Amino acid sequence: MYRYILKRIGMLIPVLLGVSFVIFTLMHYAPGDPVRMLLGNSATNEQVEAMRESMGLNDPLLLQYLNYMKNLLLHGDLGTSYVHSSPVLDMIVQRLPVTITLAILGIAFAVLLGVPAGIVSAVKQYSVVDNLVMVIALLGISMPNFWLGIIMILFFSRTLNWFPVSGWNGPIYWVLPTISVGASSAASIARMTRSSMLEVIQQDYISTARAKGQKESVVILRHGLKNSLIPIITSAGLLFGMLLGGAVVAETVFAIPGIGKLMVDAINQRDYPIVTGTAIIIAAMLGLVNLMVDISYAFVDPRIKSQYRSGKKKKKSAEEEGADKDE
């Protein structure tokens, strides 16, 4: 297990290098000059060139990237913001808890709503309840997050005055953004839960459990849901990773001070270090989330845990055989 974890962490390194290079290249070839945006249109060409030289923007792109990665790998430095003149890492660390909290709330809302809906839909297959749940799930998947957020602001904030329009200053501020980012995820989890449960409840051991006289709730939850958790966990893990990187829209709509809004503002201002730094952090978090999902399989399914153990035993026996041959 530990060897597998270290291997997966090692595989993150080329991924992060690739992400950083692509983002770094795209930003530098995007229209717009960060120096001109900083100095304004009234600045002379000599002033612009002098500032570009001082910032190292006149160096070849590959040299700029190598210098950036050198500072990152040797000193953990993600650069300094062009606009704010502050270390990018400090700005990300300050805003990262907000994005993580929003993603956790969104996926919690999605799981608490989607899993029960999927279970009920599978148990009541082809019924009115099943059709209603699937129609609502289809609508949830089809609605863009930003559109849902705007509609909720107009109705719940402007018309009913129940929730604040924007900000992140307490639990009451979290309600609308959580629903906005979690609605489509809840729909996806509901569909996945229904599909996985339908496959499981048709197995022979479910019929055996019912024949033994066990309660239907025990059959569904202990035998059915437990054996269908692997696809649900996979779906929830992928959606959580998407929420970490995809909360950009919700943070922009609700003016939430997270790294998503930080990235959007940096793109508009051509603040290269912030965009590259946030992309690297988001990619690293996605890799760690996928790793945690893979590890969670061993706790849900004993067969997967036994595979890790058997692999370790096989390696140990192979080493012992090699030692016997050497003797």
Side-chain angles (χ1 to χ4, degrees), residues 118-157:
I119 294 173
V120 172
S121 183
V123 174
K124 305 290 185 180
Q125 187 182 14
Y126 302 133
S127 66
V128 176
V129 176
D130 181 22
N131 294 330
L132 181 61
V133 170
M134 287 300 99
V135 169
I136 296 175
L138 180 60
L139 291 175
I141 294 175
S142 303
M143 284 189 301
N145 291 340
F146 71 91
W147 181 85
L148 179 60
I150 294 173
I151 294 298
M152 288 192 300
I153 289 175
L154 292 175
F155 184 71
F156 292 106
S157 299

Side-chain angles (χ1 to χ4, degrees), residues 178-195:
T178 297
I179 297 174
S180 176
V181 302
S184 60
S185 299
S188 299
I189 291 177
R191 291 167 64 92
M192 177 59 69
T193 303
R194 178 183 184 274
S195 176

